[in-house]
């Protein structure tokens, strides 16, 4: 409008003002106004472009550079041919805090972590946030021993708790590293290798791992197992084995822990430690758990014909408590069994990952008559609130405390304390890893209820378990009693 008015004024003055003084004035104003306008528009566009570029390259929560920038930087570094490393950092158990305290709390925690990492970041490094609870560092031109020094610097920052909204949180981190050009000269491959190293660090409960060829081999094996697992149920390759659980007071058979075995065409077995974590990465784990429960119930009917009255202990995966699929599975088959004959074994980490959902599933099953045993007790968080708040009827002392307790006084003290704790909470106790007579004597004196271990029997096939039942008659009526009627 200003421009139009100025042009009109200029035209009128040229027509009617013989001296052109006013026309020159109007031209001057026009040019000055136009210049100012162009300057303001250019500045606005420039700022807006800068803002857009910043938003596209930075993470909103921590203001660190994001994955897009990270990928761009790796490609540029790889093109420059100078050595560098990729360090991926993952916060252990972040989801737990996010679920327990909410997303604003989780965001605050991420900001604090970003600040902590930025403060002590070695000069030759750049920090990025590349995913939910995943950070990345690109470090330039480092030898292996320098790299390990950098890892130590990062780890030391997490030795002290992080304070978020007056809560002191002990956050652990896992680190996976790959180097250019040692491991690969392809940017995409380097990221994959760092991810593999991170996965290995997490799954082996190590704090950090530098990529090696072995990991790649493992990844290929992992893929092969994942493919074979798809058809294992249909091809009837799974088998159930049974390890007797003995009543400590009279050495009679109380029940059995059901253990899954996966037989291969060559007669070898792939251990559950190998294939269960792979199954847990998809919904396949639910199909496997459901198959185990169905098969165990069928086997229980066979054992019952022989006069067996004990309980079968079925291990659940951490993932089985994370949704309602276990409930759906049991809905279909629960009518075929007396729930009091089944005890589900769960680990602390299974409950901790999503405590709300785990509680929901556990309470519903306890209300239907099933019971829960806390497996591997003493090796995980040993979190007392879990014991207090969840419907746990039994504690299984981890075998690492029992196996050498006869010659290890500290382990005796730990076992004694766990038995005392369990009894105070009105829980029964199973000692796993019983392998010698002296330990049996000690456990009996301590008042342990049940014993399990190679001293009595290794896990055996159903037929062999039936033979054991003939040799060691079951105690009379061994179904569990529900401890907490309030659930
Ligand atoms: Mg178990």
């Amino acid at each position: 409008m200003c421009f139009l008015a100025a042009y009109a004024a200029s035209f009128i003055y040229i027509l009617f003002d013989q001296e052109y003084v006013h026309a020159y004035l109007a031209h001057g104003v026009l040019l000055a106004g136009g210049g100012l306008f162009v300057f303001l528009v250019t500045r606005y566009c420039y700022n807006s472009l800068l803002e857009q570029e910043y938003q596209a390259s930075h993470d909103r929560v921590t203001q660190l550079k994001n994955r897009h920038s990270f990928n761009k930087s790796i490609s540029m570094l790889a093109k420059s041919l100078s050595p560098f490393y990729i360090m991926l950092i993952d916060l252990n158990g972040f989801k737990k805090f996010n679920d327990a305290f909410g997303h604003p709390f989780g965001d605050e925690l991420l900001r604090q972590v970003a600040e902590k990492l930025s403060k002590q970041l070695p000069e030759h490094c750049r920090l990025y946030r590349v995913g939910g609870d995943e950070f990345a560092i690109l470090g330039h031109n480092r030898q292996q021993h320098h790299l390990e020094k950098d890892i130590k610097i990062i780890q030391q920052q997490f030795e002290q708790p992080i304070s978020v909204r007056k809560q002191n949180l002990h956050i652990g981190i896992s680190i996976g590293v790959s180097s250019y050009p040692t491991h690969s000269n392809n940017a995409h491959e380097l990221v994959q290798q760092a991810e593999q190293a991170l996965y290995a660090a997490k799954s082996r409960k190590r704090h950090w791992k530098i990529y090696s060829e072995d990991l790649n081999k493992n990844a290929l094996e992992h893929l092969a197992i994942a493919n074979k697992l798809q058809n294992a149920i249909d091809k009837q390759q799974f088998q159930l084995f049974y390890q007797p659980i003995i009543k400590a007071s009279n050495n009679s058979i109380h029940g059995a822990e059901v253990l899954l075995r996966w037989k291969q065409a060559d007669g070898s077995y792939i251990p559950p430690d190998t294939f269960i974590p792979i199954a847990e990465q998809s919904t396949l784990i639910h199909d496997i758990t459901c198959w185990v429960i169905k098969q165990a119930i069928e086997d229980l009917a066979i054992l019952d014909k022989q006069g067996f009255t004990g309980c079968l202990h079925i291990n659940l995966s951490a993932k089985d408590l994370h949704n309602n699929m276990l409930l759906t599975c049991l809905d279909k088959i629960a009518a075929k069994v007396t729930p009091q004959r089944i005890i589900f074994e769960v680990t602390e980490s299974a409950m901790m990952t999503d405590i709300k959902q785990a509680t929901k599933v556990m309470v519903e099953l306890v209300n239907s008559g099933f019971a829960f045993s806390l497996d591997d007790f003493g090796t995980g968080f040993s979190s007392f609130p879990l014991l207090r708040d969840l419907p746990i009827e039994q504690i299984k002392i981890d075998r690492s405390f029992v196996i050498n307790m006869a010659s290890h006084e500290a382990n005796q003290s730990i076992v004694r304390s766990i038995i005392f704790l369990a009894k105070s909470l009105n829980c029964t106790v199973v000692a796993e890893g019983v392998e010698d007579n002296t330990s049996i004597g000690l456990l009996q004196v301590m008042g342990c209820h049940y014993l399990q271990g190679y001293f009595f029997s290794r896990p055996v096939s159903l037929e062999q378990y039936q033979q054991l039942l003939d040799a060691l008659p079951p105690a009379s009526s061994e179904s569990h009693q529900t401890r907490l009627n309030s659930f």
Side-chain angles (χ1 to χ4, degrees):
M1 280 306 287
C2 289
F3 278 120
L4 287 176
Y7 279 123
S10 167
F11 182 70
I12 290 165
Y13 282 126
I14 289 168
L15 274 184
F16 300 107
D17 190 337
Q18 298 301 314
E19 290 179 6
Y20 297 110
V21 175
H22 293 100
Y24 291 135
L25 198 66
H27 270 115
V29 171
L30 174 71
L31 290 172
L36 183 67
F37 176 74
V38 169
F39 171 75
L40 289 174
V41 167
T42 311
R43 201 174 145 178
Y44 174 78
C45 290
Y46 179 69
N47 285 342
S48 157
L49 277 173
L50 279 183
E51 177 64 23
Q52 276 179 30
E53 198 184 296
Y54 183 86
Q55 298 284 356
S57 60
H58 285 73
D59 163 52
R60 187 187 50 80
V61 176
T62 59
Q63 303 306 319
L64 291 177
K65 290 208 164 193
N66 60 16
R67 182 174 276 278
H68 174 67
S69 305
F70 172 70
N71 290 338
K72 225 165 128 186
S73 302
I74 299 172
S75 302
M76 278 163 62
L77 281 170
K79 276 179 197 157
S80 75
L81 304 178
S82 57
F84 69 94
Y85 68 75
I86 298 174
M87 186 190 292
L88 295 180
I89 303 166
D90 190 275
L91 306 183
N92 301 337
F94 172 74
K95 191 177 177 300
K96 185 178 74 187
F97 295 114
N98 223 11
D99 289 349
F101 301 112
H103 289 286
F105 186 95
D107 286 353
E108 182 55 35
L109 174 57
L110 288 171
R111 274 191 286 274
Q112 299 258 7
V113 169
E115 205 179 303
K116 213 179 229 292
L117 287 168
S118 306
K119 263 188 193 163
Q120 300 291 325
L121 197 66
E123 255 177 29
H124 53 273
C125 294
R126 269 183 286 167
L127 177 66
Y128 303 78
R129 182 185 172 209
V130 290
D133 60 342
E134 203 170 291
F135 293 83
I137 287 174
L138 287 182
H140 295 270
N141 194 19
R142 305 301 281 176
Q143 306 290 327
Q144 171 103 359
H145 63 280
H146 287 143
L147 171 57
E148 289 181 13
K149 201 173 146 200
D150 288 352
I151 291 174
K152 258 196 191 127
I153 293 173
I154 303 294
Q155 281 187 319
Q156 275 166 0
Q157 295 166 51
F158 290 86
E159 284 171 3
Q160 299 300 321
I162 298 178
S163 176
V164 182
R165 299 186 184 179
K166 295 182 184 165
Q167 304 252 18
N168 282 336
L169 309 173
H170 287 273
I171 303 282
I173 54 168
S174 303
I175 294 174
V177 186
S178 65
S179 298
Y180 172 95
T182 319
H183 299 129
S184 171
N185 51 18
N186 176 291
H188 180 67
E189 215 168 77
L190 277 167
V191 177
Q192 276 188 337
Q193 289 168 342
E195 279 169 353
Q196 277 178 22
L198 177 66
Y199 177 77
K202 276 187 103 71
S203 58
R204 292 171 201 178
K205 297 203 166 58
R206 284 202 197 158
H207 300 300
W208 58 274
K209 180 92 188 112
I210 295 174
Y211 175 79
S212 65
E213 278 296 320
D214 291 359
L215 292 182
N216 199 26
K217 203 175 135 226
N218 289 348
L220 292 173
E221 278 172 14
H222 180 114
L223 199 64
I225 290 174
N227 286 335
K228 276 202 286 185
L229 256 182
Q230 303 286 339
N231 303 315
I233 293 178
D234 294 339
K235 288 186 175 172
Q236 299 182 333
Q237 291 171 338
F238 287 129
Q239 287 177 9
L240 293 187
F241 274 53
Y242 294 85
Q243 187 173 31
I245 295 175
I246 306 295
K247 198 168 184 184
S249 58
N250 60 6
N251 278 0
S252 61
I253 291 186
H254 162 71
E257 178 171 356
V258 181
L259 295 156
L260 181 62
R261 296 285 181 262
W262 183 16
K263 198 170 184 180
Q264 302 303 293
D266 61 3
S268 65
Y269 287 91
I270 297 180
D273 288 0
T274 305
F275 69 83
I276 292 293
I278 297 171
E280 281 177 338
Q281 287 169 14
S282 68
T283 54
L284 208 54
I285 188 63
H286 303 303
D287 299 336
I288 293 175
T289 303
C290 201
W291 179 86
V292 170
I293 297 171
K294 268 188 209 166
Q295 190 59 47
I297 289 173
E298 278 177 29
D299 289 355
L300 183 61
I302 295 171
L303 294 173
D304 282 357
K305 283 184 188 151
Q306 204 177 327
F308 178 71
T309 54
C311 294
L312 291 184
H313 290 228
I314 297 175
N315 290 289
L316 293 183
S317 144
K319 295 282 153 93
D320 290 321
L321 298 180
H322 292 176
N323 53 45
N324 292 335
M325 289 176 90
L326 178 66
L327 299 175
T328 314
C329 164
L330 279 165
D331 256 2
K332 291 180 194 156
I333 51 179
K336 295 180 183 167
V337 69
T338 309
Q340 283 75 14
R341 304 284 304 282
I342 302 290
I343 296 182
F344 291 115
E345 294 191 7
V346 287
T347 57
E348 286 168 287
S349 56
M351 295 183 289
M352 287 292 283
T353 316
D354 184 347
I355 201 154
K356 258 191 200 162
Q357 177 63 21
T359 310
K360 179 179 172 275
V361 174
M362 290 173 76
V363 167
E364 201 155 319
L365 289 179
V366 166
N367 286 339
S368 309
F370 296 98
F372 282 89
S373 177
L374 188 53
D375 209 359
D376 306 333
F377 188 80
T379 55
F381 304 93
S382 300
S383 171
F384 297 127
L386 283 183
L387 280 174
R388 183 195 59 203
D389 299 334
L390 291 170
I392 305 290
E393 183 182 300
Q394 184 179 78
I395 288 173
K396 288 188 91 173
I397 308 173
D398 189 71
R399 64 200 309 276
S400 59
F401 301 111
V402 179
I403 210 157
N404 59 359
M405 66 181 279
S407 57
H408 203 293
E409 285 211 6
N411 276 348
Q412 282 180 35
S413 304
I414 292 170
V415 170
R416 191 177 293 109
S417 305
I418 297 176
I419 293 173
F420 177 78
L421 172 74
K423 284 185 168 179
S424 311
L425 291 166
N426 214 11
C427 290
T428 55
V429 190
V430 181
E432 293 182 292
V434 179
E435 294 193 359
D436 61 275
N437 239 329
T438 320
S439 302
I440 294 172
L442 286 167
L443 288 161
Q444 282 169 334
V445 171
M446 289 176 192
C448 183
H449 302 95
Y450 306 110
L451 311 170
Q452 182 181 351
Y454 289 177
F455 180 86
F456 301 101
S457 171
R458 288 173 174 270
V460 292
S461 66
L462 179 68
E463 294 71 26
Q464 288 168 315
Y465 187 74
Q466 286 178 288
Q467 288 165 15
L468 278 174
L469 282 179
D470 284 336
L472 278 170
S476 59
S477 190
E478 291 293 344
S479 62
H480 64 77
Q481 303 292 315
T482 303
R483 171 176 71 111
L484 299 167
N485 296 325
S486 55
F487 286 101

